[in-house]
Amino acid sequence: MLHVEKIKPLSREFLESIGFYWHTDADQTSYVADELVLVSNDEVEAYYEAANTLYDMFAQAGQHVIDNNLFHELNIPFNLVELIKNSWANDVHWHLYGRFDFAGGVDGKPIKLIEFNADTPTSLYETAIIQWAMLKANGMDEAKQFNTVFEALKENFKRLVVLGGNTEDFAEYYDGWKILFSSIRGNIEDENTTRLLQTAANEAGFHTDFAYVDEVGFNAEGIFKEDENFEFWFKLIPWENIAIEEGDLALILDEIVREQKAIILNPAYTLLFQSKAFMKILWDLFPNHPLLLETSYEPLKGKKQVEKRAFGREGANTVIYDTDMSVIAKVEGDYGNFKPIYQEYVELPKDNEGKSYQAGVFFAYEGCGLGFRRGGLIMENFSKFVGHRIKD
């Protein structure tokens, strides 16, 4: 059983003073739990190693997808295929950050990959800032946490310039390049998460600016805010949304990348990793790997399993089936037009009240931060964020 400890919650006033406004769910309950999951150093090390091992596997599997033209299997929109290939082919399209979702790891059970949120992962602000503040506000040692997210992001911004080289050489190679950060107007969570990333880029040494996406100009010459041209553009907008809802923009971005007018973060190839159908590719290439769950495009025979949609979010359009395919749990949603995949079911760790916990491990060049979501059998929009503390 997973162990948690009660703490004094952070006040709404304090949370808002540091830019965290999405602290209360629609039912007026706190989104941030007043508890911490207790983990050991060995458990932290296992999460770190799992993230690093899996990223290498994702890179191998991504090459396999491109070499064998498996984009359709992953439900990739056709108007992004060339952009994905171009971003994959050149190292300057650096993957800034993502988040692995895991079952197990804190209950004596093995870590198992559920999925990889590689393009626009949520919970960044919570993992990097809020759970650190929870320890500090409760008089605990803030170093007792697997949480180097902000520092890892700063280092990875430097790798946009030095790539595989030494980040200490950033100033030597940096030539005044600018990053424009964008989110959708009216979404405070996305905006402040984007501004957190902008702060990390500033501290890394970049010149930066912010603009809502409706203020950004796109043409064959590059990406602009008013008349200013930017070499990098960070967008907290899912690639599949751009492809489906903004087809003309997808074509312009394809041309911008092809003509090397700008670099987009996260790169288009992260949509391969984001697709839940990628879990099937991993299972084909690494069958029975201890970190993986069996995944298929067709229902698994005689196994408890989860049906998910390739680009579903927040648990929507998820169904848990028993071994006889009777429904155990189900969440409706708006992603039913995406391709279904079927993944072997694994029970999440539970506390003494029977609540389930899913671990999220951020990755920025390496595993860099742990946080938890708490909820029912299916993690969805009302799941809570739970911080952690490393036991003495």
Side-chain angles (χ1 to χ4, degrees), residues 119-141:
D119 178 19
T120 55
T122 56
S123 301
L124 179 69
Y125 208 103
E126 297 91 306
T127 304
I129 306 296
I130 300 303
Q131 64 170 347
W132 175 84
M134 292 160 79
L135 292 190
K136 192 168 180 62
N138 279 270
M140 298 173 175
D141 180 359

PDB file of all heavy atoms in Angstrom, residues 119-141:
ATOM      1  N   ASP A 119       4.226  16.197 -26.115  1.00  0.00           N
ATOM      2  CA  ASP A 119       4.061  17.456 -26.840  1.00  0.00           C
ATOM      3  C   ASP A 119       3.675  18.605 -25.904  1.00  0.00           C
ATOM      4  O   ASP A 119       4.435  19.563 -25.741  1.00  0.00           O
ATOM      5  CB  ASP A 119       3.010  17.265 -27.940  1.00  0.00           C
ATOM      6  CG  ASP A 119       2.731  18.528 -28.733  1.00  0.00           C
ATOM      7  OD1 ASP A 119       3.567  19.447 -28.713  1.00  0.00           O
ATOM      8  OD2 ASP A 119       1.674  18.584 -29.401  1.00  0.00           O
ATOM      9  N   THR A 120       2.518  18.519 -25.254  1.00  0.00           N
ATOM     10  CA  THR A 120       2.036  19.609 -24.384  1.00  0.00           C
ATOM     11  C   THR A 120       1.611  19.051 -23.023  1.00  0.00           C
ATOM     12  O   THR A 120       0.435  19.100 -22.670  1.00  0.00           O
ATOM     13  CB  THR A 120       0.847  20.333 -25.044  1.00  0.00           C
ATOM     14  OG1 THR A 120      -0.170  19.363 -25.350  1.00  0.00           O
ATOM     15  CG2 THR A 120       1.259  21.053 -26.310  1.00  0.00           C
ATOM     16  N   PRO A 121       2.546  18.516 -22.240  1.00  0.00           N
ATOM     17  CA  PRO A 121       2.156  17.899 -20.969  1.00  0.00           C
ATOM     18  C   PRO A 121       1.677  18.921 -19.942  1.00  0.00           C
ATOM     19  O   PRO A 121       2.214  20.023 -19.842  1.00  0.00           O
ATOM     20  CB  PRO A 121       3.444  17.217 -20.497  1.00  0.00           C
ATOM     21  CG  PRO A 121       4.542  17.983 -21.157  1.00  0.00           C
ATOM     22  CD  PRO A 121       4.001  18.423 -22.479  1.00  0.00           C
ATOM     23  N   THR A 122       0.646  18.532 -19.202  1.00  0.00           N
ATOM     24  CA  THR A 122       0.159  19.369 -18.107  1.00  0.00           C
ATOM     25  C   THR A 122       0.941  19.043 -16.828  1.00  0.00           C
ATOM     26  O   THR A 122       1.801  18.176 -16.815  1.00  0.00           O
ATOM     27  CB  THR A 122      -1.338  19.129 -17.883  1.00  0.00           C
ATOM     28  OG1 THR A 122      -1.541  17.729 -17.642  1.00  0.00           O
ATOM     29  CG2 THR A 122      -2.154  19.544 -19.099  1.00  0.00           C
ATOM     30  N   SER A 123       0.624  19.757 -15.755  1.00  0.00           N
ATOM     31  CA  SER A 123       1.208  19.562 -14.410  1.00  0.00           C
ATOM     32  C   SER A 123       2.641  20.041 -14.277  1.00  0.00           C
ATOM     33  O   SER A 123       3.304  19.735 -13.284  1.00  0.00           O
ATOM     34  CB  SER A 123       1.134  18.087 -13.969  1.00  0.00           C
ATOM     35  OG  SER A 123      -0.192  17.638 -13.942  1.00  0.00           O
ATOM     36  N   LEU A 124       3.133  20.805 -15.239  1.00  0.00           N
ATOM     37  CA  LEU A 124       4.509  21.301 -15.145  1.00  0.00           C
ATOM     38  C   LEU A 124       4.659  22.272 -13.974  1.00  0.00           C
ATOM     39  O   LEU A 124       5.585  22.150 -13.170  1.00  0.00           O
ATOM     40  CB  LEU A 124       4.910  21.988 -16.456  1.00  0.00           C
ATOM     41  CG  LEU A 124       6.327  22.565 -16.469  1.00  0.00           C
ATOM     42  CD1 LEU A 124       7.365  21.446 -16.458  1.00  0.00           C
ATOM     43  CD2 LEU A 124       6.542  23.464 -17.683  1.00  0.00           C
ATOM     44  N   TYR A 125       3.752  23.242 -13.876  1.00  0.00           N
ATOM     45  CA  TYR A 125       3.811  24.247 -12.809  1.00  0.00           C
ATOM     46  C   TYR A 125       3.684  23.573 -11.445  1.00  0.00           C
ATOM     47  O   TYR A 125       4.420  23.890 -10.502  1.00  0.00           O
ATOM     48  CB  TYR A 125       2.660  25.235 -13.015  1.00  0.00           C
ATOM     49  CG  TYR A 125       2.911  26.629 -12.496  1.00  0.00           C
ATOM     50  CD1 TYR A 125       3.225  27.673 -13.367  1.00  0.00           C
ATOM     51  CD2 TYR A 125       2.815  26.916 -11.141  1.00  0.00           C
ATOM     52  CE1 TYR A 125       3.439  28.963 -12.895  1.00  0.00           C
ATOM     53  CE2 TYR A 125       3.021  28.211 -10.670  1.00  0.00           C
ATOM     54  CZ  TYR A 125       3.335  29.221 -11.553  1.00  0.00           C
ATOM     55  OH  TYR A 125       3.546  30.492 -11.083  1.00  0.00           O
ATOM     56  N   GLU A 126       2.760  22.622 -11.350  1.00  0.00           N
ATOM     57  CA  GLU A 126       2.527  21.919 -10.092  1.00  0.00           C
ATOM     58  C   GLU A 126       3.776  21.152  -9.654  1.00  0.00           C
ATOM     59  O   GLU A 126       4.185  21.202  -8.495  1.00  0.00           O
ATOM     60  CB  GLU A 126       1.353  20.943 -10.233  1.00  0.00           C
ATOM     61  CG  GLU A 126       0.025  21.602 -10.537  1.00  0.00           C
ATOM     62  CD  GLU A 126      -0.249  21.739 -12.031  1.00  0.00           C
ATOM     63  OE1 GLU A 126       0.608  22.317 -12.745  1.00  0.00           O
ATOM     64  OE2 GLU A 126      -1.305  21.273 -12.488  1.00  0.00           O
ATOM     65  N   THR A 127       4.383  20.435 -10.616  1.00  0.00           N
ATOM     66  CA  THR A 127       5.537  19.595 -10.295  1.00  0.00           C
ATOM     67  C   THR A 127       6.764  20.440  -9.976  1.00  0.00           C
ATOM     68  O   THR A 127       7.471  20.186  -8.996  1.00  0.00           O
ATOM     69  CB  THR A 127       5.835  18.640 -11.464  1.00  0.00           C
ATOM     70  OG1 THR A 127       4.659  17.874 -11.766  1.00  0.00           O
ATOM     71  CG2 THR A 127       6.966  17.688 -11.118  1.00  0.00           C
ATOM     72  N   ALA A 128       7.019  21.455 -10.793  1.00  0.00           N
ATOM     73  CA  ALA A 128       8.247  22.241 -10.638  1.00  0.00           C
ATOM     74  C   ALA A 128       8.190  23.204  -9.459  1.00  0.00           C
ATOM     75  O   ALA A 128       9.193  23.385  -8.758  1.00  0.00           O
ATOM     76  CB  ALA A 128       8.519  23.026 -11.925  1.00  0.00           C
ATOM     77  N   ILE A 129       7.034  23.835  -9.237  1.00  0.00           N
ATOM     78  CA  ILE A 129       6.951  24.942  -8.278  1.00  0.00           C
ATOM     79  C   ILE A 129       6.096  24.613  -7.052  1.00  0.00           C
ATOM     80  O   ILE A 129       6.532  24.769  -5.902  1.00  0.00           O
ATOM     81  CB  ILE A 129       6.375  26.207  -8.963  1.00  0.00           C
ATOM     82  CG1 ILE A 129       7.183  26.564 -10.225  1.00  0.00           C
ATOM     83  CG2 ILE A 129       6.315  27.363  -7.979  1.00  0.00           C
ATOM     84  CD1 ILE A 129       8.617  26.945  -9.965  1.00  0.00           C
ATOM     85  N   ILE A 130       4.857  24.156  -7.270  1.00  0.00           N
ATOM     86  CA  ILE A 130       3.892  24.043  -6.175  1.00  0.00           C
ATOM     87  C   ILE A 130       4.324  23.013  -5.132  1.00  0.00           C
ATOM     88  O   ILE A 130       4.300  23.284  -3.923  1.00  0.00           O
ATOM     89  CB  ILE A 130       2.485  23.717  -6.710  1.00  0.00           C
ATOM     90  CG1 ILE A 130       2.010  24.828  -7.665  1.00  0.00           C
ATOM     91  CG2 ILE A 130       1.498  23.539  -5.561  1.00  0.00           C
ATOM     92  CD1 ILE A 130       1.999  26.213  -7.074  1.00  0.00           C
ATOM     93  N   GLN A 131       4.754  21.820  -5.575  1.00  0.00           N
ATOM     94  CA  GLN A 131       5.078  20.805  -4.566  1.00  0.00           C
ATOM     95  C   GLN A 131       6.358  21.158  -3.808  1.00  0.00           C
ATOM     96  O   GLN A 131       6.512  20.792  -2.646  1.00  0.00           O
ATOM     97  CB  GLN A 131       5.150  19.417  -5.186  1.00  0.00           C
ATOM     98  CG  GLN A 131       6.244  19.207  -6.200  1.00  0.00           C
ATOM     99  CD  GLN A 131       6.393  17.746  -6.589  1.00  0.00           C
ATOM    100  OE1 GLN A 131       5.863  16.824  -5.955  1.00  0.00           O
ATOM    101  NE2 GLN A 131       7.130  17.500  -7.660  1.00  0.00           N
ATOM    102  N   TRP A 132       7.249  21.901  -4.443  1.00  0.00           N
ATOM    103  CA  TRP A 132       8.432  22.399  -3.725  1.00  0.00           C
ATOM    104  C   TRP A 132       7.984  23.388  -2.643  1.00  0.00           C
ATOM    105  O   TRP A 132       8.460  23.342  -1.508  1.00  0.00           O
ATOM    106  CB  TRP A 132       9.374  23.060  -4.728  1.00  0.00           C
ATOM    107  CG  TRP A 132      10.568  23.715  -4.109  1.00  0.00           C
ATOM    108  CD1 TRP A 132      11.751  23.119  -3.762  1.00  0.00           C
ATOM    109  CD2 TRP A 132      10.699  25.093  -3.748  1.00  0.00           C
ATOM    110  NE1 TRP A 132      12.616  24.038  -3.210  1.00  0.00           N
ATOM    111  CE2 TRP A 132      11.988  25.260  -3.193  1.00  0.00           C
ATOM    112  CE3 TRP A 132       9.856  26.200  -3.835  1.00  0.00           C
ATOM    113  CZ2 TRP A 132      12.441  26.497  -2.728  1.00  0.00           C
ATOM    114  CZ3 TRP A 132      10.311  27.434  -3.378  1.00  0.00           C
ATOM    115  CH2 TRP A 132      11.590  27.570  -2.836  1.00  0.00           C
ATOM    116  N   ALA A 133       7.030  24.271  -3.006  1.00  0.00           N
ATOM    117  CA  ALA A 133       6.525  25.250  -2.039  1.00  0.00           C
ATOM    118  C   ALA A 133       5.797  24.567  -0.888  1.00  0.00           C
ATOM    119  O   ALA A 133       5.808  25.066   0.248  1.00  0.00           O
ATOM    120  CB  ALA A 133       5.591  26.233  -2.748  1.00  0.00           C
ATOM    121  N   MET A 134       5.172  23.410  -1.158  1.00  0.00           N
ATOM    122  CA  MET A 134       4.469  22.665  -0.107  1.00  0.00           C
ATOM    123  C   MET A 134       5.441  22.218   0.981  1.00  0.00           C
ATOM    124  O   MET A 134       5.154  22.324   2.183  1.00  0.00           O
ATOM    125  CB  MET A 134       3.736  21.463  -0.713  1.00  0.00           C
ATOM    126  CG  MET A 134       2.568  21.863  -1.612  1.00  0.00           C
ATOM    127  SD  MET A 134       2.073  20.548  -2.764  1.00  0.00           S
ATOM    128  CE  MET A 134       1.128  19.493  -1.696  1.00  0.00           C
ATOM    129  N   LEU A 135       6.601  21.732   0.574  1.00  0.00           N
ATOM    130  CA  LEU A 135       7.607  21.325   1.564  1.00  0.00           C
ATOM    131  C   LEU A 135       8.092  22.540   2.351  1.00  0.00           C
ATOM    132  O   LEU A 135       8.155  22.505   3.584  1.00  0.00           O
ATOM    133  CB  LEU A 135       8.798  20.654   0.872  1.00  0.00           C
ATOM    134  CG  LEU A 135       8.590  19.300   0.196  1.00  0.00           C
ATOM    135  CD1 LEU A 135       9.941  18.701  -0.199  1.00  0.00           C
ATOM    136  CD2 LEU A 135       7.832  18.331   1.076  1.00  0.00           C
ATOM    137  N   LYS A 136       8.412  23.600   1.638  1.00  0.00           N
ATOM    138  CA  LYS A 136       8.965  24.802   2.285  1.00  0.00           C
ATOM    139  C   LYS A 136       7.969  25.392   3.286  1.00  0.00           C
ATOM    140  O   LYS A 136       8.336  25.743   4.411  1.00  0.00           O
ATOM    141  CB  LYS A 136       9.330  25.822   1.212  1.00  0.00           C
ATOM    142  CG  LYS A 136      10.178  26.973   1.718  1.00  0.00           C
ATOM    143  CD  LYS A 136      10.739  27.776   0.569  1.00  0.00           C
ATOM    144  CE  LYS A 136      11.590  28.937   1.059  1.00  0.00           C
ATOM    145  NZ  LYS A 136      12.769  28.518   1.825  1.00  0.00           N
ATOM    146  N   ALA A 137       6.695  25.465   2.896  1.00  0.00           N
ATOM    147  CA  ALA A 137       5.673  26.068   3.763  1.00  0.00           C
ATOM    148  C   ALA A 137       5.399  25.229   5.002  1.00  0.00           C
ATOM    149  O   ALA A 137       4.903  25.741   6.007  1.00  0.00           O
ATOM    150  CB  ALA A 137       4.374  26.265   2.978  1.00  0.00           C
ATOM    151  N   ASN A 138       5.740  23.937   4.935  1.00  0.00           N
ATOM    152  CA  ASN A 138       5.505  23.051   6.070  1.00  0.00           C
ATOM    153  C   ASN A 138       6.776  22.781   6.871  1.00  0.00           C
ATOM    154  O   ASN A 138       6.821  21.842   7.679  1.00  0.00           O
ATOM    155  CB  ASN A 138       4.898  21.736   5.582  1.00  0.00           C
ATOM    156  CG  ASN A 138       3.402  21.854   5.337  1.00  0.00           C
ATOM    157  OD1 ASN A 138       2.595  21.622   6.231  1.00  0.00           O
ATOM    158  ND2 ASN A 138       3.022  22.235   4.116  1.00  0.00           N
ATOM    159  N   GLY A 139       7.791  23.613   6.661  1.00  0.00           N
ATOM    160  CA  GLY A 139       9.023  23.497   7.434  1.00  0.00           C
ATOM    161  C   GLY A 139       9.812  22.244   7.144  1.00  0.00           C
ATOM    162  O   GLY A 139      10.634  21.812   7.965  1.00  0.00           O
ATOM    163  N   MET A 140       9.594  21.650   5.975  1.00  0.00           N
ATOM    164  CA  MET A 140      10.318  20.437   5.590  1.00  0.00           C
ATOM    165  C   MET A 140      11.507  20.802   4.711  1.00  0.00           C
ATOM    166  O   MET A 140      11.566  21.894   4.123  1.00  0.00           O
ATOM    167  CB  MET A 140       9.376  19.495   4.827  1.00  0.00           C
ATOM    168  CG  MET A 140       8.187  19.005   5.647  1.00  0.00           C
ATOM    169  SD  MET A 140       7.021  18.062   4.614  1.00  0.00           S
ATOM    170  CE  MET A 140       5.848  17.509   5.870  1.00  0.00           C
ATOM    171  N   ASP A 141      12.438  19.896   4.594  1.00  0.00           N
ATOM    172  CA  ASP A 141      13.623  20.095   3.771  1.00  0.00           C
ATOM    173  C   ASP A 141      13.218  19.991   2.303  1.00  0.00           C
ATOM    174  O   ASP A 141      12.886  18.907   1.831  1.00  0.00           O
ATOM    175  CB  ASP A 141      14.671  19.034   4.129  1.00  0.00           C
ATOM    176  CG  ASP A 141      15.949  19.176   3.312  1.00  0.00           C
ATOM    177  OD1 ASP A 141      16.014  20.085   2.450  1.00  0.00           O
ATOM    178  OD2 ASP A 141      16.881  18.374   3.524  1.00  0.00           O
TER     179      ASP A 141
END
